[in-house]
């Protein structure tokens, strides 16, 4: 299994800044296409900006959730490795937290789109948008610590060895400096670093060899 393809995860402010910029661009391009009184034009433009703002944030969160491996569905080796190297409970809580944020953003966008449709004057349109941006920003900032931890977890998981979990495996274990790496080099074509002092091996060494029709991972 390989965790090298896990994409980087940014802070809440990064995603909010991106959403604000894209919403502004959407408004600038959409407003000239509208017609009617100014309040009506502003109202329909702001609704489009809400759609864009929501789309940017929801898409980013969904990408994170989809890209992250299902923690409960991992092979036992990696499940245990996560428990030893990361805060397993907080990792799961963080994935749940950003999913909560996504659902709240969707609900808020629907709520404020409805309020915008009822706005009759310019000041009502502006107040509604200010409130919308404020509440969504608050939601994102609530999960900022979770986003930061997911990035920390991603960096750790990228360092995990690419172990094949679907083939017969032999684990060579023992005290320091008794020849584990030498044995691995004899059993497989692998060429691990071998020195005459302890703790040369600082990570998991992998080697493979075929025995009849069976491939074995050491």
């Amino acid at each position: 299994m390989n965790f090298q393809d896990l994409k980087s995860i940014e802070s809440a402010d990064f995603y909010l800044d991106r959403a604000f910029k894209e919403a502004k661009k959407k408004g600038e391009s959409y407003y000239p296409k509208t017609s009617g009184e100014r309040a009506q034009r502003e109202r329909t433009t702001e609704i489009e900006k809400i759609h864009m703002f929501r789309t940017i944030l929801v898409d980013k969160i969904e990408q994170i959730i989809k890209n992250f491996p299902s923690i409960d569905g991992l092979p036992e080796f990696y499940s245990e490795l996560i428990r030893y190297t990361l805060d397993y409970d907080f990792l799961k809580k963080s994935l749940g937290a950003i999913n909560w944020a996504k659902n709240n953003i969707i609900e808020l966008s629907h709520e404020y789109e409805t309020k915008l449709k009822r706005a009759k004057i310019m000041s009502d349109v502006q107040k509604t948008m200010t409130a919308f941006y404020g509440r969504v920003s608050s939601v994102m900032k609530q999960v900022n610590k979770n986003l930061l931890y997911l990035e920390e977890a991603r960096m750790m998981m990228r360092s995990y060895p690419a172990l094949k979990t679907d083939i017969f495996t032999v684990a060579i274990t023992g005290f320091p400096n008794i020849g584990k790496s030498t044995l691995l080099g004899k059993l497989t074509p692998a060429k691990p670093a071998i020195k005459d002092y302890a703790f040369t091996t600082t990570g998991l060494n992998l080697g493979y060899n075929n025995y009849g029709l069976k491939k074995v991972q050491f």
Side-chain angles (χ1 to χ4, degrees):
M1 193 163 188
N2 196 330
F3 295 91
Q4 297 303 310
D5 292 334
L6 292 175
K7 301 295 189 296
S8 62
I9 300 168
E10 307 293 346
S11 67
D13 283 338
F14 178 91
Y15 294 126
L16 284 168
D17 184 59
R18 174 75 183 278
F20 277 118
K21 287 180 179 177
E22 292 301 319
K24 182 181 178 182
K25 284 169 58 177
K26 181 66 175 180
E28 290 172 347
S29 64
Y30 189 82
Y31 185 80
K33 303 173 185 176
T34 61
S35 59
E37 297 180 357
R38 184 185 174 193
Q40 179 183 349
R41 298 179 69 190
E42 289 284 351
R43 186 168 58 244
T44 55
T45 299
E46 296 301 331
I47 288 173
E48 289 298 317
K49 288 170 68 176
I50 281 181
H51 292 169
M52 178 58 70
F53 196 79
R54 176 191 66 208
T55 297
I56 294 296
L57 293 177
V58 168
D59 283 356
K60 291 298 181 184
I61 292 173
E62 287 182 340
Q63 286 173 16
I64 294 171
I65 295 172
K66 182 179 179 181
N67 191 46
F68 236 82
S70 174
I71 304 303
D72 291 330
L74 287 173
E76 184 179 4
F77 174 84
Y78 287 107
S79 178
E80 289 300 310
L81 193 55
I82 286 175
R83 291 179 188 276
Y84 278 110
T85 59
L86 296 168
D87 186 333
Y88 184 85
D89 291 335
F90 192 61
L91 177 59
K92 291 189 67 175
K93 181 180 178 181
S94 294
L95 289 168
I98 63 170
N99 190 58
W100 166 85
K102 181 196 76 172
N103 292 333
N104 269 265
I105 292 167
I106 292 171
E107 290 178 9
L108 286 169
S109 68
H110 292 322
E111 176 184 341
Y112 281 89
E113 182 179 343
T114 300
K115 289 183 178 182
L116 273 177
K117 290 176 180 177
R118 296 172 182 166
K120 301 299 182 183
I121 57 178
M122 284 291 300
S123 59
D124 289 341
V125 173
Q126 293 166 354
K127 288 177 182 178
T128 300
M129 289 303 294
T130 298
F132 169 72
Y133 287 138
R135 291 188 65 184
V136 172
S137 296
S138 177
V139 167
M140 287 297 293
K141 289 181 184 298
Q142 284 184 63
V143 298
N144 186 57
K145 62 182 181 296
N146 304 107
L147 290 167
L148 295 178
Y149 188 71
L150 289 173
E151 172 60 10
E152 182 181 332
R154 181 191 75 90
M155 293 297 291
M156 173 59 72
M157 293 170 77
R158 278 172 57 89
S159 71
Y160 290 170
L163 193 73
K164 299 181 187 297
T165 58
D166 58 347
I167 67 173
F168 190 85
T169 300
V170 174
I172 304 172
T173 66
F175 291 107
N177 205 33
I178 62 170
K180 299 186 298 296
S181 296
T182 300
L183 178 58
L184 179 68
K186 296 294 185 181
L187 293 171
T188 75
K191 300 189 184 310
I194 299 173
K195 304 291 183 180
D196 59 358
Y197 52 85
F199 303 109
T200 303
T201 303
T202 58
L204 191 65
N205 286 325
L206 298 174
Y208 301 89
N209 213 336
N210 293 315
Y211 290 85
L213 298 176
K214 185 183 288 292
K215 185 173 185 178
V216 178
Q217 175 177 239
F218 292 86

